[in-house]
Structure formats: C-alpha cells, structure tokens
C-alpha cells in the first residue's frame, strides 16, 4: 500500500502545482493585457470593465467546459495539454497584438467610436482563448483528485485555495516586478513559460522543451508598440505607455496611452504651439495683477510651464505630474528645464493639493487625459480643494475635451465647479478643447475686456479671442461628487453621437496662431 500512497501523494502535488501555475497565468495575463491595451485604448474604467468582464466570462465558460470534459475523459495528460496550449496562446499575444490592435484602431478612427468597442474586441480576441483554457483547470483537477465523496470538500477547498494563491501572485508579480523590469512583451513570455513548466508536472520532463522554446522568445527584441514615422522614444512606465514622435517640421509630440490626444508639444523656434497650451497663456491678465504663483496639475512634459517661463518670467511654477518617467522624457525631449522657476512634483494632482500649504494665483488643470476625464479631478470635493488653494482673486483654468456642438461634458464639469466658485466661464478655444475658468471674484464682461488689454504683445490675439468668446456658464443639473461622477458614461455618449454624425477626431489648432519667441 505504501507505493500506492506515495504515488497518490505525488499525483496530488503535481495537480496542486498545475493549479497554482494556472492561477498565476490567468490573472497575470489579465494584468499584463491592460498594459498592452493602454497604448491603443487608454486605461479608463471602461477599458478595465471590458477586460475584467471578458476575463470573468472566459473563466466561467472554462469552468463549465472543464467540468464536462473531465467527466467524459478524466485523463491527466489531457489536462496537461490544455495548460500547455494555454501557454502557447499566452506567448503569442504580444506578437499578434500589434497588427490586430492597429487594425482595430484604424477602424475606430474612421468611426470615432472610442475605446469601448475596440477594447472589447481586442480583449476578446487576445485574452479570452487562453483564459478559457485556464478556467478549465480547477474543475478538471478536482475531478482527478477526488477519490471518495468523503474527501471531496477538502480536496476542492485545497485546490481552489492554491488557485487563488496563484491568482494573487499573478496579480502582483507582473505589476510590481516583471513589467517595470522587463517590459510587457517579455512579461507575457515569462507567464507562458511558467504555464508550460506547470503542465510538465503532469506531462513529464520531455515537455520542458516547450517551456525552453517559449523562454527563448524572450531573446526577441520588442519592436515599437505603435509604429509611427519619426519615433524618437517609446517606453512603458509604471503608470502608462509613453511615445515621443518628431514631425517633419521638427515639432515633437508626446503621446500617452491611447494616443488620441497630444499631451505636450515642443517646437525648436517657439514656445507657442498653436494648441490648447497657448490658451492658458491668455488667462493671467484676468487677475489684474502680476502673476506670482502657478500650479499646473498635469504638467506632462512641460509645454505650458516652458511658455510661462518666457511670457511670465517672474512667476514661480509648481508642475505636478504623476509619472516620473514623463518628467524624465520632458527633460530629455521637451525642454522641461528651460523654465528656471519651475519645480516639478512627481505625484498625483489631488494628493499634492491636499498636502500643500501654498496658495496660487492660477491653477491650471490639464490632467484630463482624453477621451476620459479622471473622475476624482472633476468632483465638487476636488474643486473645493482647488478653491482653498487659490489666492484672493485667483483663477482655475481647466482644459476639457469636447466634440463640436456637444457641451454635455463641459456643462457637467462647469456646473460642478460653479458649486464651489462664484463665477464660471467657458471659452471654446478649439474645436475639441474648451477652457473652463473658475473665478474667486466675479468679473463683468467689460472688466474682463479691460484687463485683457494688458499683457505680452505676442499674446494679444489670444487675449482678444478670450475676451470675445468667453461666456458665463449657466449651471444645470446636479454637481458631481466623489460618490457619483458618471464621466465615462457621459463621454461615451458624446463620442457615439459624434460618430453617428460622421465626425472624426483629428489634430486641431487655435484659430489664431501667433508666432512668439
């Protein structure tokens, strides 16, 4: 009886190791896939909802299929082959993702349909097949491990505990260790190799050749995630995907995540860009006094801070950027250090304000990464924090993405801001960008016009546009709160409506593009 008992113990350990490895593989694939999707569709709540929902659906279907197949053919080798097939599919993900996602994004760009549909089909095609196979593992393993009804509960509990422990490791290992250390492509390969090794516990050592072959794929250098002419720099940081592109006219553009929006621009001959960053430069004369302190929440690579250093050289600027990698890229490619009075803080915007004791003449909020606004930077609680950090007569200026003839997002944010500040103005500076201004001291249209006559001569055309086009925003509806801020829902409705009318998202410029220093 001893040999049989020993064989049973070995079989139990092999099944446990397989289940643990499958648990790692399922969650690690999900976490790593989020980094793969971010350059194309962003990392909004909608994208995560698609990712989590499809993974759960694939697991559920896998549980059902695994139980049925195990009852019909309770063969350990078959279970090992299922995990081995999942390993091969996981290893293939980074290599098939680029052409597949490029095609998906191209179709979405034609329809301006947003991230919802694209991320759904991207996850469905890339992640659902291997996760479905990994979902089959637990019920199959339980069927193999249970020998008597009396021990069924203990066996199932042990295997599910091992699976969950593996899932925990699969959640944290890619996010905290592998992706920052070796990148997204090689993280998928490491996951695939771990799965292949797990399968070998049932299939035998000869199948380690498959694990070795998958590991060898790590020697392949990762290519550009999103191929584009003029690519200067590309990386995946702890927070996001970063890409720097240089155009034929020598402009440098910073793309983050989905690449729909440009987050910073550098020109060799001017600090002016023709983009929304220039619009911020028209706001300081509304103060009616010299600009002394500025906070830029969403500093990115420093386009606005660089221009402030030229046109308002006496102002101390706190540039707040959540991602240190973006700050580093700004120093290397975008002249971030050109403003000697800029202090960069690599921290999230809201915690920065909460811990800061400073008060500012102007707070610029440019952290609304299109197409989706971080909800916690668009709530009444956030704007109350902003109000508390504005000096008397201070102004907050928010860059809000919009689509032509659809002001729902602008009005929702403006209504929320109006709950905390006595006057809110909206300035449709660009087709896809509206500046929402919150003033601590209301100004009449005549007073605004009078103040905007002063300021740097090069910016006079911008100030004229602000004086002419800015209008009071009339609050309507309910102010958003930390508890309820349906940003993604509203944004998706705007995008779908715009797409239905045949609109396209494209690069946009200010109506008047002054040439400056």
């Amino acid at each position: 009886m001893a040999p049989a008992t020993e064989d049973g113990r070995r079989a139990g350990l092999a099944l446990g190791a397989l289940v643990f490895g499958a648990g790692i593989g399922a969650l690690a694939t999900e976490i790593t896939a989020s980094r793969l999707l971010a350059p194309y569709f962003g990392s909004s709540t909608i994208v995560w909802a698609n990712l989590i929902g499809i993974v759960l659906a694939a697991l559920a279907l896998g549980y059902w299929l695994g139980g049925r197949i195990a009852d019909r053919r309770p063969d350990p080798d078959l279970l090992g082959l299922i995990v081995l097939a999942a390993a091969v599919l996981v290893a293939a993900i980074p290599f098939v993702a680029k052409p597949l996602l490029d095609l998906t994004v191209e179709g979405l760009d034609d329809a301006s349909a947003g991230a919802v549909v694209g991320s759904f089909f991207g996850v469905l095609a890339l992640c659902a097949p291997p996760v479905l196979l990994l979902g089959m593992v637990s019920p199959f393993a339980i069927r193999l491990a249970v020998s008597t009804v009396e021990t069924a509960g203990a066996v199932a509990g042990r295997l599910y505990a091992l699976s969950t422990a593996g899932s925990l490791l699969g959640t944290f290992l890619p996010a905290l260790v592998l992706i920052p250390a070796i990148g997204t492509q090689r993280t998928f390969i490491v996951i695939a190799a771990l799965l292949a090794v797990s399968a070998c516990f049932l299939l035998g050592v000869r199948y380690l050749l498959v694990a070795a072959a998958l590991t060898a794929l790590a020697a392949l250098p990762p290519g550009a995630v999103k191929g584009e002419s003029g690519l200067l720099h590309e990386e995946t940081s702890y927070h996001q995907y970063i890409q720097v592109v240089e155009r034929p006219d020598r402009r440098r553009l910073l793309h983050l995540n989905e690449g729909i929006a440009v987050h910073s621009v550098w020109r060799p001959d001017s600090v002016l860009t023709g983009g929304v960053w220039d619009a911020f430069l028209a706001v300081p004369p509304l103060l009616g006094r010299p600009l002394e302190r500025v906070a830029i929440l969403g500093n990115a690579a420093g386009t606005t801070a660089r221009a402030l250093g030229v046109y308002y050289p006496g102002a101390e600027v706190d540039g707040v950027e959540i991602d240190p990698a973006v700050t580093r890229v700004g120093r290397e490619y975008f002249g971030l250090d050109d403003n000697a009075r800029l202090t960069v803080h690599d921290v999230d915007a809201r915690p920065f304000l909460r811990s800061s004791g400073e008060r500012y003449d102007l707070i610029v909020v440019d952290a609304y990464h299109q197409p989706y606004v971080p909800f916690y930077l668009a709530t009444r609680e956030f704007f109350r924090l902003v109000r508390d950090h504005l000096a008397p007569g201070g102004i907050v200026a928010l860059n809000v993405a919009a689509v032509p003839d659809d002001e729902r997002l602008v009005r929702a944010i403006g209504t929320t801001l109006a709950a905390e500040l006595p006057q809110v103005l909206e300035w449709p500076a660009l087709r896809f960008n509206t500046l929402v201004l919150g003033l601590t001291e209301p100004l009449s249209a005549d007073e605004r016009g009078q103040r905007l006559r002063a300021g740097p001569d090069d910016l006079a055309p911008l100030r004229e546009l602000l004086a002419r086009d800015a209008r009071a925003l009339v609050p309507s509806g309910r102010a958003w709160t930390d508890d309820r801020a349906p940003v993604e829902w509203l944004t998706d409705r705007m995008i779908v409506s715009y797409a239905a009318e045949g609109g396209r998202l494209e690069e946009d410029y200010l109506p008047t593009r002054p040439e400056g220093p």
Side-chain angles (χ1 to χ4, degrees):
M1 294 296 293
T5 302
E6 187 64 25
D7 288 344
R9 186 177 296 111
R10 288 200 188 98
L13 290 174
L15 279 175
L18 182 75
V19 168
F20 182 74
I24 294 175
L27 266 293
T29 298
E30 177 181 358
I31 296 297
T32 311
S34 70
R35 305 295 289 208
L36 198 64
L37 295 170
Y40 297 88
F41 308 111
S43 54
S44 69
T45 305
I46 296 295
V47 175
W48 271 104
N50 279 337
L51 181 58
I52 294 171
I54 289 176
V55 166
L56 289 175
L59 286 172
L61 183 58
Y63 297 151
W64 177 75
L65 283 175
R68 289 181 64 86
I69 293 173
D71 284 341
R72 294 180 180 179
R73 188 182 167 188
D75 182 353
D77 286 347
L78 176 58
L79 178 57
L81 290 172
I82 288 172
V83 174
L84 197 63
V88 173
L89 289 174
V90 169
I93 288 175
F95 300 101
V96 302
K98 186 181 185 305
L100 175 65
L101 295 178
D102 281 342
L103 183 63
T104 303
V105 168
E106 182 179 348
L108 287 175
D109 285 345
D110 289 339
S112 300
V116 182
V117 176
S119 61
F120 178 87
F121 285 108
V123 175
L124 189 65
L126 296 172
C127 300
V131 172
L132 185 149
L133 293 177
L134 293 173
M136 298 170 65
V137 171
S138 291
F140 206 130
I142 290 171
R143 173 65 177 83
L144 294 176
V146 171
S147 56
T148 64
V149 175
E150 288 78 9
T151 61
V155 169
R158 176 173 60 86
L159 291 178
Y160 274 118
L162 285 170
S163 177
T164 303
S167 296
L168 286 171
L169 184 58
T171 299
F172 293 109
L173 184 63
L176 301 181
V177 180
L178 294 178
I179 293 173
I182 61 176
T184 302
Q185 176 177 304
R186 291 190 171 109
T187 297
F188 274 115
I189 293 169
V190 169
I191 296 166
L194 286 173
L195 286 170
V197 170
S198 299
C200 293
F201 283 101
L202 292 185
L203 296 174
V205 294
R206 65 185 184 278
Y207 283 92
L208 285 173
L209 290 174
V210 178
L214 295 178
T215 304
L217 293 175
L220 295 176
V225 175
K226 296 172 69 177
E228 187 167 351
S229 61
L231 181 66
L232 295 181
H233 179 81
E234 183 180 52
E235 68 174 281
T236 299
S237 73
Y238 182 79
H239 292 276
Q240 60 202 329
Y241 166 79
I242 302 168
Q243 185 185 71
V244 180
V245 175
E246 185 169 278
R247 297 298 190 203
D249 61 3
R250 296 183 64 199
R251 281 182 305 144
R252 292 177 184 171
L253 311 179
L254 174 69
H255 294 290
L256 303 177
N257 284 335
E258 75 290 331
I260 294 174
V262 175
H263 296 265
S264 287
V265 173
W266 176 87
R267 295 175 61 204
D269 58 338
S270 175
V271 295
L272 298 177
T273 64
V276 70
W277 307 274
D278 298 352
F280 290 121
L281 304 176
V283 176
L286 285 175
L287 294 167
R289 62 173 187 268
L291 181 67
E292 295 181 356
R293 289 200 64 87
V294 183
I296 303 175
L297 309 183
N299 188 56
T303 298
T304 302
R306 181 171 176 245
L308 285 170
V310 171
Y311 287 106
Y312 303 96
E316 294 283 348
V317 181
D318 285 327
V320 182
E321 170 54 49
I322 190 173
D323 193 344
V326 171
T327 299
R328 173 173 44 78
V329 167
R331 290 194 167 103
E332 185 172 354
Y333 296 100
F334 291 87
L336 179 63
D337 292 331
D338 288 353
N339 185 348
R341 306 196 72 178
L342 167 67
T343 302
V344 177
H345 307 266
D346 291 321
V347 65
D348 202 351
R350 191 157 161 178
F352 169 80
L353 281 185
R354 194 167 53 240
S355 62
S356 172
E358 299 290 344
R359 302 189 79 182
Y360 299 94
D361 300 308
L362 174 64
I363 295 179
V364 171
V365 182
D366 198 17
Y368 291 177
H369 293 183
Q370 290 88 347
Y372 297 105
V373 172
F375 84 93
Y376 60 92
L377 299 183
T379 65
R380 186 167 183 175
E381 290 87 348
F382 170 68
F383 292 136
R384 184 178 303 133
L385 194 61
V386 168
R387 180 199 65 196
D388 293 342
H389 284 79
L390 284 172
I395 299 171
V396 58
L398 303 96
N399 172 23
V400 181
V403 298
D405 303 320
D406 192 333
E407 296 187 345
R408 282 177 285 185
L409 183 59
V410 170
R411 292 209 169 274
I413 290 177
T415 295
T416 305
L417 182 59
E420 297 298 330
L421 291 175
Q423 186 178 37
V424 175
L425 306 175
E426 56 176 317
W427 174 27
L430 294 158
R431 290 182 68 224
F432 297 101
N433 296 87
T434 294
L435 253 61
V436 176
L437 306 177
L439 283 65
T440 55
E441 296 177 0
L443 297 174
S444 67
D446 289 341
E447 289 175 308
R448 297 198 300 270
Q450 182 66 32
R451 291 187 179 188
L452 287 171
R453 291 191 181 97
D457 291 340
D458 292 335
L459 302 179
L462 291 174
R463 297 196 303 274
E464 291 170 6
L465 290 173
L466 174 56
R468 185 192 72 190
D469 297 335
R471 57 184 182 267
L473 187 145
V474 180
S476 60
R478 178 188 301 177
W480 287 350
T481 66
D482 285 350
D483 179 66
R484 184 176 182 273
V487 177
E488 290 88 359
W489 177 77
L490 178 59
T491 304
D492 284 324
R493 288 180 62 195
M494 291 169 52
I495 293 173
V496 171
S497 297
Y498 186 58
E501 297 172 0
R504 294 194 59 179
L505 301 177
E506 56 192 16
E507 201 168 0
D508 201 5
Y509 295 96
L510 282 165
T512 297
R513 182 176 179 174
E515 294 298 327

